[in-house]
Amino acid sequence: MAAMIISMLQGTLTSVQIFFLTIIFALPLGMVLCSLRMSRNRVLSFILKIFLLVIRGTPLMLQLICVYFIPGLLFERSLPRFTAAIVALSVNYASYFAEIYRGGIESIPQGQYEAAKVLGYSRTQTFFLIIIPQVIKRILPAMGNEIITLVKDTALVTVIGVIELLHISKSASNRLFSTTPLYLAGLFYLIMNGLVVWFFNKLEKKLSYYK
């Protein structure tokens, strides 16, 4: 039993690594995709609109399989499993983040841009000093929901053979002919998501400085 728990903790560490690496890459990539999606260039905006539709409209599991196997078919050399998992998850979540960013930015009244211009702010200063702080507050609940989903979606990387928490718990369950390892894995995911909820609750309270 102790050996199984140690193995599951090691798998949890891999899941946590996948989670944080995905966040690190997906957050800024989402802003880049959002900027391109909101571009005044209609062709570029349309291309990004289709790209986001494809990524958001197809299963993440299928995207993981494509990212891992397609390079091998085209170039006779596949990406390492862990790298493929990070690439697929980052692009997938960046696409969702991009739409959340866009919704937050478009929710800011146009009058604020005009007022900032009258006060002598440049477009860059207006965006980073006035718009972004308000956008962060508005999109926090939606971002929290996506990040909670990400914790659970790290389990999908088992489809390309990444040895993480769910992979280890399934192997232990088959070996022991017991569902106990799967329940333990569920508990581990619940604890991780509990920490994410706690963090976002703290962040929301800290940013609620007008209440």
Side-chain angles (χ1 to χ4, degrees), residues 144-177:
N145 286 337
E146 285 300 320
I147 290 174
I148 286 171
T149 303
L150 173 58
V151 172
K152 295 177 288 184
D153 278 352
T154 58
L156 293 177
V157 302
T158 190
V159 74
I160 57 173
V162 177
I163 301 176
E164 45 67 68
L165 175 58
L166 184 62
H167 188 285
I168 290 173
S169 63
K170 286 171 65 178
S171 297
S173 179
N174 293 334
R175 186 173 64 254
L176 299 173
F177 299 100

Coordinates of all heavy atoms in Angstrom, one line a residue, residues 144-177:
G144 N -10.7 31.1 -13.5 CA -10.7 30.1 -12.4 C -11.4 28.8 -12.8 O -10.8 27.7 -12.6
N145 N -12.5 28.9 -13.5 CA -13.2 27.7 -14.0 C -12.3 26.9 -15.0 O -12.3 25.7 -15.0 CB -14.5 28.1 -14.7 CG -15.6 28.5 -13.7 OD1 -15.5 28.1 -12.5 ND2 -16.5 29.3 -14.1
E146 N -11.7 27.7 -15.9 CA -10.8 27.0 -16.9 C -9.7 26.3 -16.2 O -9.3 25.2 -16.6 CB -10.3 28.0 -18.0 CG -11.4 28.4 -19.0 CD -12.0 27.3 -19.8 OE1 -11.2 26.4 -20.1 OE2 -13.2 27.2 -20.0
I147 N -9.1 26.9 -15.3 CA -7.9 26.4 -14.6 C -8.3 25.2 -13.8 O -7.5 24.2 -13.7 CB -7.2 27.4 -13.8 CG1 -6.5 28.4 -14.8 CG2 -6.1 26.8 -12.9 CD1 -5.9 29.6 -14.1
I148 N -9.5 25.2 -13.2 CA -10.0 24.0 -12.5 C -10.1 22.8 -13.4 O -9.7 21.7 -13.1 CB -11.3 24.3 -11.8 CG1 -11.1 25.2 -10.5 CG2 -12.0 23.0 -11.3 CD1 -12.3 25.7 -9.9
T149 N -10.6 23.1 -14.6 CA -10.8 22.1 -15.6 C -9.4 21.6 -16.1 O -9.3 20.4 -16.3 CB -11.5 22.7 -16.9 OG1 -12.8 23.2 -16.4 CG2 -11.8 21.6 -17.9
L150 N -8.4 22.5 -16.2 CA -7.1 22.0 -16.5 C -6.5 21.0 -15.6 O -5.9 20.1 -16.0 CB -6.2 23.3 -16.6 CG -4.7 23.0 -16.9 CD1 -4.5 22.2 -18.1 CD2 -3.9 24.3 -16.9
V151 N -6.8 21.2 -14.3 CA -6.3 20.2 -13.3 C -6.8 18.8 -13.7 O -6.0 17.8 -13.7 CB -6.7 20.6 -11.9 CG1 -6.4 19.4 -10.9 CG2 -6.1 21.9 -11.4
K152 N -8.0 18.7 -14.0 CA -8.6 17.4 -14.4 C -8.2 16.9 -15.8 O -8.0 15.7 -16.0 CB -10.1 17.5 -14.3 CG -10.7 17.8 -12.9 CD -12.2 17.9 -12.9 CE -12.6 19.2 -13.5 NZ -14.1 19.4 -13.4
D153 N -8.0 17.9 -16.7 CA -7.6 17.5 -18.1 C -6.1 17.0 -18.1 O -5.8 16.4 -19.1 CB -7.8 18.7 -19.0 CG -9.2 18.9 -19.5 OD1 -10.0 17.9 -19.2 OD2 -9.5 19.9 -20.1
T154 N -5.3 17.3 -17.1 CA -4.0 16.7 -17.1 C -4.0 15.2 -17.2 O -3.1 14.5 -17.7 CB -3.2 17.1 -15.9 OG1 -3.9 16.7 -14.7 CG2 -3.0 18.6 -15.9
A155 N -5.2 14.6 -16.8 CA -5.3 13.1 -16.8 C -5.4 12.6 -18.2 O -5.1 11.4 -18.5 CB -6.6 12.7 -16.0
L156 N -5.8 13.5 -19.2 CA -5.9 13.0 -20.6 C -4.6 12.7 -21.2 O -4.6 12.0 -22.2 CB -6.7 14.1 -21.4 CG -8.1 14.3 -21.0 CD1 -8.7 15.5 -21.9 CD2 -9.0 13.1 -21.1
V157 N -3.5 13.2 -20.7 CA -2.2 12.9 -21.3 C -1.8 11.4 -21.2 O -0.9 11.0 -21.9 CB -1.1 13.8 -20.7 CG1 -1.4 15.2 -20.9 CG2 -0.8 13.4 -19.3
T158 N -2.6 10.7 -20.4 CA -2.3 9.2 -20.4 C -2.6 8.6 -21.7 O -2.0 7.5 -22.0 CB -3.2 8.6 -19.3 OG1 -2.7 7.2 -19.1 CG2 -4.6 8.6 -19.7
V159 N -3.4 9.2 -22.6 CA -3.7 8.6 -23.9 C -2.5 8.5 -24.8 O -2.4 7.7 -25.7 CB -4.8 9.5 -24.6 CG1 -4.3 10.8 -25.1 CG2 -5.4 8.7 -25.7
I160 N -1.5 9.4 -24.5 CA -0.2 9.2 -25.3 C 0.9 8.6 -24.5 O 2.1 8.7 -24.9 CB 0.2 10.6 -25.9 CG1 0.4 11.7 -24.9 CG2 -0.8 11.0 -27.0 CD1 1.0 13.0 -25.4
G161 N 0.5 8.0 -23.4 CA 1.5 7.3 -22.6 C 2.3 8.1 -21.6 O 3.3 7.5 -21.1
V162 N 1.9 9.3 -21.3 CA 2.7 10.0 -20.2 C 2.3 9.4 -18.9 O 1.1 9.3 -18.6 CB 2.3 11.5 -20.3 CG1 3.0 12.3 -19.1 CG2 2.7 12.1 -21.6
I163 N 3.3 9.1 -18.1 CA 3.0 8.4 -16.8 C 2.7 9.5 -15.8 O 3.7 10.0 -15.1 CB 4.2 7.5 -16.4 CG1 4.4 6.5 -17.5 CG2 3.9 6.8 -15.1 CD1 5.6 5.6 -17.3
E164 N 1.5 9.8 -15.6 CA 1.1 10.7 -14.5 C 0.1 10.0 -13.6 O 0.0 8.8 -13.5 CB 0.5 12.0 -15.2 CG -0.5 11.7 -16.3 CD -1.8 11.1 -15.8 OE1 -2.6 11.7 -15.1 OE2 -2.1 9.9 -16.2
L165 N -0.6 10.8 -12.8 CA -1.4 10.2 -11.7 C -2.4 9.2 -12.1 O -2.5 8.1 -11.6 CB -2.1 11.4 -10.9 CG -3.1 11.0 -9.8 CD1 -2.3 10.1 -8.8 CD2 -3.7 12.2 -9.2
L166 N -3.2 9.5 -13.1 CA -4.2 8.6 -13.6 C -3.6 7.3 -14.2 O -4.1 6.2 -13.9 CB -5.2 9.3 -14.6 CG -6.3 8.4 -15.1 CD1 -7.3 8.1 -13.9 CD2 -7.1 9.2 -16.2
H167 N -2.6 7.5 -14.9 CA -1.9 6.3 -15.5 C -1.4 5.4 -14.5 O -1.7 4.1 -14.6 CB -0.7 6.8 -16.4 CG 0.0 5.8 -17.2 ND1 0.8 4.8 -16.6 CD2 -0.1 5.5 -18.5 CE1 1.2 4.0 -17.6 NE2 0.7 4.4 -18.7
I168 N -0.8 5.9 -13.4 CA -0.3 5.0 -12.3 C -1.5 4.4 -11.6 O -1.4 3.2 -11.2 CB 0.6 5.9 -11.4 CG1 1.9 6.2 -12.1 CG2 0.9 5.1 -10.1 CD1 2.8 7.2 -11.3
S169 N -2.5 5.2 -11.3 CA -3.7 4.6 -10.5 C -4.4 3.5 -11.3 O -4.8 2.5 -10.8 CB -4.6 5.7 -10.2 OG -5.2 6.3 -11.3
K170 N -4.5 3.7 -12.6 CA -5.1 2.7 -13.5 C -4.3 1.4 -13.5 O -4.8 0.3 -13.4 CB -5.3 3.2 -14.9 CG -6.5 4.2 -15.0 CD -6.5 4.8 -16.4 CE -6.8 3.8 -17.5 NZ -6.8 4.5 -18.8
S171 N -3.0 1.6 -13.6 CA -2.1 0.4 -13.5 C -2.2 -0.3 -12.2 O -2.3 -1.6 -12.2 CB -0.6 0.8 -13.8 OG -0.5 1.4 -15.1
A172 N -2.2 0.4 -11.1 CA -2.3 -0.2 -9.8 C -3.7 -0.9 -9.6 O -3.8 -1.9 -9.0 CB -2.2 0.9 -8.7
S173 N -4.7 -0.2 -10.2 CA -6.1 -0.8 -10.1 C -6.1 -2.2 -10.8 O -6.7 -3.1 -10.3 CB -7.1 0.1 -10.7 OG -8.4 -0.4 -10.6
N174 N -5.5 -2.2 -12.0 CA -5.5 -3.5 -12.8 C -4.7 -4.5 -12.1 O -5.0 -5.7 -12.1 CB -5.0 -3.2 -14.2 CG -5.9 -2.4 -15.0 OD1 -7.1 -2.3 -14.8 ND2 -5.3 -1.6 -16.0
R175 N -3.6 -4.1 -11.5 CA -2.7 -5.1 -10.8 C -3.3 -5.6 -9.5 O -3.1 -6.8 -9.2 CB -1.3 -4.4 -10.5 CG -0.3 -5.3 -9.9 CD 1.1 -4.6 -9.7 NE 1.0 -3.5 -8.8 CZ 1.0 -2.2 -9.1 NH1 1.1 -1.8 -10.3 NH2 0.9 -1.3 -8.1
L176 N -4.0 -4.8 -8.8 CA -4.6 -5.2 -7.5 C -6.0 -5.7 -7.6 O -6.6 -6.2 -6.6 CB -4.5 -4.1 -6.5 CG -3.2 -3.5 -6.2 CD1 -3.3 -2.2 -5.3 CD2 -2.3 -4.5 -5.5
F177 N -6.6 -5.6 -8.8 CA -8.0 -5.9 -9.0 C -8.9 -5.2 -8.0 O -9.8 -5.8 -7.4 CB -8.3 -7.5 -8.9 CG -7.5 -8.3 -9.9 CD1 -6.3 -8.9 -9.6 CD2 -8.0 -8.4 -11.2 CE1 -5.6 -9.6 -10.5 CE2 -7.3 -9.1 -12.2 CZ -6.1 -9.7 -11.8

